[in-house]
Amino acid sequence: MNISQRYQLSLALLTDMYQLTMAQGYWKKGMAEQEAVFHLYFRNNPFKGGYTISAGLADAIDLLQSFRFTQEDLSYLKSLTGSQGQPLFEEGFLEHLRSLEFSCDVDAIPEGTVVFPNEPLLRIKGPILQCQLLETPLLTILNFQTLIATKAARIVDAAQGDAVIEFGMRRAQGPDGALSAARASFIGGVGATSNMLAGQIFNIPVRGTHAHSWIMSFEEEQEAFSAYADVFPHDSVFLVDTYHTLDGIKNAIEVAKTMREKGSELRGIRLDSGDLAYLSIEGRKMLDEAGFPKVSILASNDLDEHLIQSLKLQGAKIDAWGIGTKMVTAFDQPALGGVYKLAALRQADGEWEYKLKLSEQLVKISTPGILQVRRFSHDNALVGDMIYSELLDVSPSVTMVHPNDPTQRKSYAKECTYEDLLVPVFRDGNQVYSSPDLPAIQARTKQQLNLLHGTYRRFLNPHTFKVGLEEQLHERKMKLIIQLRSEEQNKQIA
Amino acid sequence: MNISQRYQLSLALLTDMYQLTMAQGYWKKGMAEQEAVFHLYFRNNPFKGGYTISAGLADAIDLLQSFRFTQEDLSYLKSLTGSQGQPLFEEGFLEHLRSLEFSCDVDAIPEGTVVFPNEPLLRIKGPILQCQLLETPLLTILNFQTLIATKAARIVDAAQGDAVIEFGMRRAQGPDGALSAARASFIGGVGATSNMLAGQIFNIPVRGTHAHSWIMSFEEEQEAFSAYADVFPHDSVFLVDTYHTLDGIKNAIEVAKTMREKGSELRGIRLDSGDLAYLSIEGRKMLDEAGFPKVSILASNDLDEHLIQSLKLQGAKIDAWGIGTKMVTAFDQPALGGVYKLAALRQADGEWEYKLKLSEQLVKISTPGILQVRRFSHDNALVGDMIYSELLDVSPSVTMVHPNDPTQRKSYAKECTYEDLLVPVFRDGNQVYSSPDLPAIQARTKQQLNLLHGTYRRFLNPHTFKVGLEEQLHERKMKLIIQLRSEEQNKQIA
């Protein structure tokens, strides 16, 4: 099957097999329609950073909108056999899938929001069978785009207002790795991409001029620059390191002079190897002395936020940064590790039963309930987030408790304004939220980061942003843990 | 645009913008049809390993087969403007793209082959405009799948014949990151995937049973196991760590007894957290003592080749390995870093001009020519690879030279058999090679690795496999470097 045809299939099978075997289990046990609540969240900010930027929701919405099993999907499921050669999936179950229509409520944090560990990025409430099938694709989409948007935001932060361009397609994890990374990088604040398909699909500005091969296909470097300038007199950025960088800059200056005589200006030069600090400082001097102070210097070569910061410290004269591998693969941490946990299950009597997944480490135990995140701000700065359950009346004092140290408590009620971060996205399977366009999401990222104090944004040992559990939710969770653990112990004694 | 609709577009725009601006440059300068040769290769084995497994060719072939610009692509290109608001691409050039038909020769190393640094995985010969446009997507596809196939081969090697299952979709870099990784992992030797779409598209065996949420949706763990066994009496693997692992194993054993009374056997238990060495050893004892020596133990939890090796050393009783994040993202090195370099250009007189990209480091200078890789074997073991140019008559003595130390030379001609690794894939744009099916590619990987001595396969400080340049090619390359460098110096003096 062609790579170009793959995605013409339904995406209902874009999930783990165990979601389907469990689905058949729920169906067979009469539980398919039992109402459940799952939360999608992560446990640690990536890159040892102090914050995370949410991204991927628009693609998740598309997935949910198109969620249905086609005849082709059902035929494939029907063809699968168990260890005894018997059909793995029953006819009745396949019929159930055939008639399945997405009917859940989904609430989520909009893209481009600053988020922190343990906050649900997405909450889904509906028939457990549906919630279960959707676990894997929701994680795939939100994990990756959130990871890359965060990486990009850090890189853009390090560039301190300089242009940042995403160049990473050739090193991305597959064609969609490249596309999704281009989208998420733009959300994080990157200004343009080299990926033409991303330009076409997402309307992201595209950038690019020429490669070493252009230079090598002419006898002389200067001839190659001249030829390029003939074709793109107003849009030339010359790559100067094919043979010897400082000579390359001299050749670029010669051609820039000829261009000026003909009425156009060279836009920039690009450094792609060598000592970028030294070469950019020398290059800037040469360009300025030759009367080209407006010719910009673009640098690339395995850059990330740490290298940009180091080059800035060294006084490098770089105006624009081309970023590839390190951003589009999130090289230093290529996966976010988001999880999707059952938090409540509606009982026969209509009451919600709280659910949590135990762990020996308190910090890894999930939080039960139907959760929302309340964000407190003061004086145009974020001060703290409180996770609460919509099933509990939030007390007027709104005291929140440190999730891992219950002796630490805090109340922001009086002096702060607040907003709840999760917004309704689907109600009974109908979409009630429309995603902003990408420039608006990018603007939101920027505005959100401006609300976050620099101590949370620094790369080395950032301050930990306060995220607490609402007091009643905390107590409910503690009781449930103690109860589950004592049941365990009783069983062990018995 | 829907994620499911994205790939219904043509993939001609799945490339970097500079490929298109250069293409317009070649067209404008009358060079569009000038014949060029590019090689795709990498400079270092990933993961500090001693070998690499080639993968991705079938997808690259699909891409080349479908290579054409649609009206939609051309409209997008037409909409792009330069810095002065002028159209960036000329009508005549867009017409050229409209009528473009892929007409190159492509030679490549079949998937599932053991390959080494600097060996061309793919060679393309044809109009420079076409070769240039295809650089980015060929790199994206071959870089990623080769990376993952190599990671998978290492993991499978560490598992020493145990079953290995790919579980990583939720942490993969986007939906296609997951799909391509499932395909490449299978090539590397993994037996099955949890990814249903990969099962459907690539016909890879699928595996999966249930998650923690299944257990949590029942009041008692044992009840949850029983319910699952009712639905899948012959295909149950119980996840035993939802509450307390050793209790979970006891519950699994109780249910296994009931299953046996009803005529079926529990297939396995799965450990997903905690000390896998301790728990698997204890679990094995408990299962054996209860009369279930055939119930297998599947382990998962951020495993990679190093952890598998460590668990084996500790005597862990694990029969099957579920591998996710660390394999599908190649966590410790998430990009291969393959490059695509111009190596020859046909001159007006019909002669080929050799081309290379200089660098201050000898090891980073590309090799010119129209390259092929000759692999020498002796006694069912690989002994050395020689890169030679098809433009030069290979001397009967076939002496090869160490690429970075010309004083080291070697000749395998007398005692060895040999084969040339690159095979014809396209001739004049027509496909002349058909990819084997995936099981055949997987078998090739296994057979190839069996030819490679253990010293090259070990994870710590592996032996470096000998890859040399054929003597004449070496001399030609050295001359060209010296010539280019002396031209530079003359210019600097002038």
Side-chain angles (χ1 to χ4, degrees):
Chain A
M1 172 153 315
N2 280 359
I3 197 170
S4 54
Q5 288 171 343
R6 274 186 205 165
Y7 289 96
Q8 298 182 28
L9 295 170
S10 136
L11 292 181
L13 293 185
L14 185 66
T15 196
D16 285 315
M17 180 160 177
Y18 75 3
Q19 313 292 8
L20 281 150
T21 50
M22 281 191 280
Q24 172 157 298
Y26 292 130
W27 170 79
K28 190 91 177 169
K29 292 289 165 186
M31 296 160 68
E33 301 298 322
Q34 191 173 1
E35 209 176 353
V37 174
F38 286 79
H39 298 111
L40 188 156
Y41 62 97
F42 57 89
R43 295 198 186 102
N44 297 293
N45 288 313
F47 321 117
K48 297 180 183 160
Y51 67 89
T52 298
I53 301 293
S54 63
L57 182 57
D59 281 346
I61 290 172
D62 286 338
L63 176 100
L64 297 174
Q65 277 289 7
S66 66
F67 181 68
R68 62 191 62 82
F69 286 85
T70 62
Q71 182 53 45
E72 204 178 356
D73 298 333
L74 298 169
S75 301
Y76 172 68
L77 293 177
K78 198 175 168 179
S79 74
L80 297 175
T81 51
S83 61
Q84 311 295 305
Q86 82 285 16
L88 201 60
F89 295 107
E90 297 184 19
E91 281 293 340
F93 172 64
L94 297 178
E95 282 308 311
H96 183 83
L97 293 185
R98 188 192 303 278
S99 61
L100 199 64
E101 286 185 23
F102 178 62
S103 64
C104 299
D105 288 356
V106 174
D107 294 77
I109 297 181
E111 296 188 270
T113 305
V114 165
V115 291
F116 302 100
N118 302 312
E119 298 180 350
L121 301 186
L122 182 143
R123 178 179 94 198
I124 184 166
K125 178 157 87 68
I128 191 166
L129 182 147
Q130 293 183 36
C131 296
Q132 198 76 72
L133 290 175
L134 292 163
E135 171 176 6
T136 319
L138 288 173
L139 280 168
T140 307
I141 292 168
L142 297 182
N143 265 335
F144 181 51
Q145 291 200 36
T146 297
L147 180 76
I148 301 301
T150 307
K151 188 70 179 172
R154 293 162 59 86
I155 287 168
V156 168
D157 209 357
Q160 300 175 0
D162 297 343
V164 178
I165 303 168
E166 180 269 303
F167 270 5
M169 182 176 175
R170 66 190 56 199
R171 303 284 165 76
Q173 297 209 340
D176 180 67
L179 269 181
S180 297
R183 182 181 189 275
S185 300
F186 187 80
I187 289 176
V190 164
T193 179
S194 70
N195 183 331
M196 295 299 277
L197 196 56
Q200 185 186 29
I201 293 176
F202 301 122
N203 202 24
I204 298 173
V206 284
R207 291 286 178 277
T209 52
H210 69 80
H212 296 121
S213 53
W214 174 266
I215 305 296
M216 291 159 68
S217 67
F218 292 81
E219 288 303 311
E220 300 279 340
E221 188 177 49
Q222 200 169 313
E223 183 194 356
F225 290 158
S226 291
Y228 196 83
D230 279 352
V231 183
F232 297 100
H234 304 292
D235 298 280
S236 282
V237 175
F238 296 150
L239 180 57
V240 293
D241 71 336
T242 305
Y243 302 112
H244 181 278
T245 304
L246 295 178
D247 291 343
I249 298 173
K250 281 182 209 161
N251 284 331
I253 288 171
E254 289 309 308
V255 176
K257 287 177 184 168
T258 316
M259 290 170 73
R260 186 172 281 172
E261 286 163 16
K262 293 184 187 168
S264 75
E265 291 291 325
L266 177 63
R267 296 200 66 188
I269 61 168
R270 177 177 164 206
L271 307 170
D272 189 39
S273 60
D275 187 319
L276 297 177
Y278 170 75
L279 292 171
S280 67
I281 291 167
E282 290 303 305
R284 183 75 272 155
K285 263 192 236 161
M286 292 162 70
L287 288 164
D288 289 353
E289 284 167 11
F292 295 99
K294 287 191 177 166
V295 170
S296 67
I297 298 179
L298 168 66
S300 53
N301 190 15
D302 267 348
L303 299 175
D304 65 7
E305 65 271 41
H306 305 292
L307 275 167
I308 293 174
Q309 216 169 44
S310 161
L311 285 163
K312 291 248 174 207
L313 272 173
Q314 295 170 71
K317 299 292 186 190
I318 294 167
D319 308 294
W321 307 83
I323 314 286
T325 317
K326 297 288 166 74
M327 182 162 68
V328 302
T329 66
F331 200 86
D332 53 336
Q333 187 193 319
L336 179 63
V339 296
Y340 183 95
K341 294 289 176 193
L342 178 65
L345 204 55
R346 182 95 79 172
Q347 299 304 300
D349 61 5
E351 289 297 302
W352 283 100
E353 187 181 13
Y354 278 50
K355 290 285 182 181
L356 58 73
K357 162 84 180 73
L358 279 186
S359 166
E360 281 163 36
Q361 300 160 267
L362 187 56
V363 66
K364 284 189 77 175
I365 296 179
S366 61
T367 300
I370 301 182
L371 305 181
Q372 175 59 280
V373 181
R374 183 158 290 182
R375 172 157 293 171
F376 293 95
S377 302
H378 183 64
D379 246 1
N380 258 336
L382 309 184
V383 296
D385 286 356
M386 179 183 77
I387 298 171
Y388 70 95
S389 172
E390 293 183 355
L391 293 175
L392 301 167
D393 288 326
V394 175
S395 64
S397 66
V398 246
T399 298
M400 66 186 223
V401 182
H402 191 293
N404 307 322
D405 176 359
T407 62
Q408 289 191 49
R409 286 161 194 242
K410 192 93 190 170
S411 177
Y412 295 115
K414 283 167 203 155
E415 72 270 32
C416 295
T417 57
Y418 68 81
E419 60 165 342
D420 284 352
L421 293 186
L422 286 105
V423 300
V425 177
F426 284 88
R427 284 295 173 265
D428 299 324
N430 298 306
Q431 191 180 335
V432 295
Y433 172 83
S434 59
S435 283
D437 62 16
L438 276 182
I441 298 174
Q442 189 188 60
R444 179 177 171 88
T445 302
K446 192 173 175 185
Q447 167 261 329
Q448 287 265 309
L449 284 170
N450 284 338
L451 300 177
L452 197 63
H453 192 274
T455 54
Y456 304 113
R457 293 169 65 168
R458 70 180 175 229
F459 302 142
L460 197 62
N461 298 330
H463 203 134
T464 302
F465 190 81
K466 286 189 177 62
V467 178
L469 291 186
E470 186 271 331
E471 194 172 14
Q472 296 175 74
L473 177 62
H474 166 77
E475 280 167 22
R476 189 75 173 251
K477 179 177 178 177
M478 293 302 120
K479 267 188 204 158
L480 192 52
I481 295 172
I482 292 165
Q483 181 197 327
L484 284 169
R485 287 197 171 145
S486 83
E487 281 172 15
E488 262 180 25
Q489 284 184 339
N490 291 340
K491 274 184 226 153
Q492 283 171 24
I493 293 161
Chain B
M1 173 157 312
N2 280 358
I3 197 169
S4 53
Q5 287 170 346
R6 275 185 204 167
Y7 289 94
Q8 298 183 27
L9 295 169
S10 135
L11 292 182
L13 293 185
L14 185 69
T15 195
D16 285 314
M17 180 160 178
Y18 75 2
Q19 314 290 9
L20 282 150
T21 50
M22 281 191 279
Q24 172 158 298
Y26 293 128
W27 171 78
K28 190 91 177 172
K29 292 289 165 188
M31 297 159 66
E33 300 298 322
Q34 192 173 2
E35 210 176 353
V37 174
F38 286 79
H39 298 112
L40 189 156
Y41 63 98
F42 57 90
R43 295 200 186 99
N44 298 293
N45 288 313
F47 321 118
K48 299 181 181 159
Y51 66 91
T52 298
I53 300 293
S54 63
L57 181 59
D59 281 346
I61 291 173
D62 285 339
L63 177 100
L64 297 174
Q65 277 290 9
S66 65
F67 182 67
R68 61 192 61 84
F69 286 86
T70 62
Q71 182 53 45
E72 203 177 359
D73 298 333
L74 299 170
S75 301
Y76 172 68
L77 293 177
K78 197 175 167 179
S79 74
L80 297 175
T81 52
S83 61
Q84 312 295 304
Q86 83 283 17
L88 201 60
F89 294 107
E90 297 183 20
E91 280 295 339
F93 172 64
L94 297 178
E95 282 310 309
H96 183 83
L97 293 185
R98 188 192 303 280
S99 61
L100 198 65
E101 283 186 25
F102 179 63
S103 64
C104 300
D105 288 356
V106 174
D107 294 77
I109 297 181
E111 297 189 90
T113 305
V114 166
V115 291
F116 301 101
N118 303 311
E119 298 180 348
L121 301 186
L122 182 143
R123 176 180 96 196
I124 184 166
K125 177 157 87 67
I128 191 167
L129 184 147
Q130 294 182 35
C131 296
Q132 197 76 72
L133 290 174
L134 291 164
E135 171 177 6
T136 320
L138 289 173
L139 280 168
T140 306
I141 291 168
L142 297 182
N143 265 335
F144 181 51
Q145 292 198 36
T146 298
L147 180 77
I148 302 300
T150 308
K151 187 70 179 172
R154 291 162 60 85
I155 287 169
V156 168
D157 208 357
Q160 299 174 1
D162 296 343
V164 178
I165 303 167
E166 181 270 303
F167 270 5
M169 181 175 177
R170 64 189 58 199
R171 303 285 164 75
Q173 297 210 341
D176 179 67
L179 269 181
S180 298
R183 181 181 189 278
S185 301
F186 187 80
I187 289 175
V190 164
T193 179
S194 70
N195 184 331
M196 294 299 276
L197 196 56
Q200 185 186 28
I201 293 175
F202 300 120
N203 202 24
I204 299 174
V206 285
R207 290 285 178 278
T209 51
H210 69 80
H212 296 121
S213 53
W214 173 266
I215 306 295
M216 289 159 68
S217 68
F218 291 81
E219 287 305 310
E220 301 277 343
E221 188 178 50
Q222 200 169 315
E223 184 192 355
F225 290 157
S226 292
Y228 196 84
D230 279 354
V231 183
F232 296 100
H234 303 291
D235 298 280
S236 283
V237 176
F238 296 150
L239 179 59
V240 292
D241 71 335
T242 306
Y243 303 112
H244 181 279
T245 304
L246 295 178
D247 290 343
I249 297 173
K250 281 183 208 160
N251 284 330
I253 288 171
E254 288 311 306
V255 175
K257 288 178 183 165
T258 317
M259 289 169 74
R260 186 171 281 174
E261 284 164 17
K262 293 183 186 167
S264 75
E265 289 292 323
L266 178 62
R267 296 200 66 190
I269 61 167
R270 177 176 165 209
L271 306 171
D272 190 39
S273 60
D275 187 319
L276 297 177
Y278 170 76
L279 293 171
S280 67
I281 291 167
E282 288 303 303
R284 185 73 273 156
K285 264 191 235 161
M286 290 162 71
L287 287 163
D288 289 353
E289 283 167 13
F292 295 99
K294 288 191 175 165
V295 169
S296 68
I297 298 179
L298 168 66
S300 53
N301 191 16
D302 268 348
L303 298 175
D304 64 8
E305 66 272 41
H306 305 291
L307 276 166
I308 293 173
Q309 217 169 42
S310 160
L311 284 163
K312 292 247 174 208
L313 273 172
Q314 295 170 69
K317 299 291 187 190
I318 294 167
D319 308 292
W321 307 82
I323 314 287
T325 317
K326 297 288 166 74
M327 182 162 68
V328 302
T329 66
F331 200 87
D332 54 336
Q333 187 192 320
L336 178 64
V339 295
Y340 183 96
K341 297 288 178 195
L342 178 64
L345 203 56
R346 180 96 78 170
Q347 300 304 299
D349 61 5
E351 287 298 302
W352 284 100
E353 187 182 14
Y354 278 51
K355 291 286 180 180
L356 58 72
K357 161 85 181 73
L358 280 186
S359 166
E360 283 163 34
Q361 298 161 266
L362 187 58
V363 64
K364 284 187 79 175
I365 296 180
S366 61
T367 300
I370 300 183
L371 305 180
Q372 175 60 279
V373 181
R374 183 158 292 181
R375 172 157 294 171
F376 294 94
S377 302
H378 183 66
D379 245 1
N380 257 336
L382 309 185
V383 295
D385 285 356
M386 178 184 77
I387 299 171
Y388 70 97
S389 172
E390 294 183 355
L391 293 175
L392 302 167
D393 287 328
V394 174
S395 64
S397 67
V398 246
T399 297
M400 66 185 222
V401 182
H402 191 293
N404 308 319
D405 176 0
T407 62
Q408 290 191 48
R409 286 161 193 242
K410 193 92 190 168
S411 177
Y412 295 115
K414 283 168 203 153
E415 73 269 33
C416 294
T417 58
Y418 68 81
E419 61 167 340
D420 283 352
L421 294 185
L422 286 103
V423 300
V425 178
F426 284 89
R427 282 297 173 265
D428 299 324
N430 298 308
Q431 189 178 335
V432 295
Y433 172 82
S434 59
S435 283
D437 62 15
L438 277 182
I441 298 174
Q442 189 186 62
R444 178 176 173 86
T445 303
K446 193 174 174 182
Q447 168 261 329
Q448 286 267 307
L449 283 170
N450 283 339
L451 301 178
L452 196 63
H453 193 272
T455 54
Y456 304 112
R457 293 170 67 168
R458 69 179 176 231
F459 303 141
L460 198 62
N461 298 330
H463 203 135
T464 302
F465 190 81
K466 286 190 179 59
V467 179
L469 292 186
E470 185 272 331
E471 195 171 14
Q472 297 175 75
L473 177 62
H474 165 76
E475 279 167 21
R476 188 78 173 251
K477 179 176 177 177
M478 292 304 120
K479 268 188 204 158
L480 192 53
I481 295 172
I482 292 164
Q483 179 196 329
L484 284 168
R485 286 196 173 146
S486 84
E487 281 172 16
E488 260 180 26
Q489 283 183 341
N490 290 341
K491 275 185 225 151
Q492 283 171 27
I493 293 160

